[in-house]
Amino acid sequence: MLANAVFGSDQPPTRTEWAEQRLRHAILRGEFGPGDALVISTLAEQMGLSATPLHEAVRNLSADGLVELHSHGKARVAQVDLHEANEIYELRLMLEPVALERAVRHADDGYRDRVESAWKALAATRIASPSDHAAFHRALLSTCDSAWLLRMATTLADRAGLMITVGLPSRPDDYDTAAAHRTLKDLALAGDGAAAAAELRRHLSGTIAALHLVVGATMSENANDARQNDEQ
């Protein structure tokens, strides 16, 4: 089931890279949910691999924040820490709109081409891939004239992207990634940095609110399940 549905047949150069690619794809698509155990023996059987490349793949995914490693070699899909999410989004709301306004101020033809190209990739499917989503936000900030501000904003955005991918693996049926970002794109391309910054603040505030709603509900369900198990 999992091997056919999630894992493809086109293998990169090494078994570890192939396993990492397949596992990353499965996690980002929500085939494994936050907190789900990654059982090496089961995955090895499904993927037709030995345990060694899978152990290496899991360690690589841990370095990217998608997997949590525990004692005795156990691994689970990373869960969202709402306290960390609050801290990251507090900083994003302070830094990223400023970086965007400065980027728009220094926009040139190359900037507009990058944003348009990233936008086309974002709009290619109703639910854009995490990589296309990240690339669009990077393109929006790409002409920020402060290297430190750009570096910090990008680092925070990348970490937030992992949180959103893990915490919100699915979207409502009427959600459209491009539609959610269209105003932001239009304002940036129109050269209205102040309005683009304000729209970005609104966008980021909505994202953290959605994360709280979904992750908070999941945490409450898990607590109820644990309490019921204790009572049985």
Side-chain angles (χ1 to χ4, degrees), residues 136-192:
F136 175 71
H137 277 271
R138 283 175 177 266
L140 286 174
L141 304 183
S142 61
T143 51
C144 175
D145 60 335
S146 169
W148 276 105
L149 176 58
L150 181 59
R151 184 182 305 172
M152 289 187 289
T154 300
T155 298
L156 290 166
D158 286 349
R159 178 57 185 152
L162 288 174
M163 285 186 163
I164 295 304
T165 297
V166 172
L168 301 174
S170 61
R171 295 291 192 274
D173 292 339
D174 61 349
Y175 182 83
D176 185 292
T177 309
H181 293 76
R182 186 182 302 277
T183 300
L184 189 57
K185 181 264 297 184
D186 289 343
L187 290 170
L189 291 180
D192 193 339

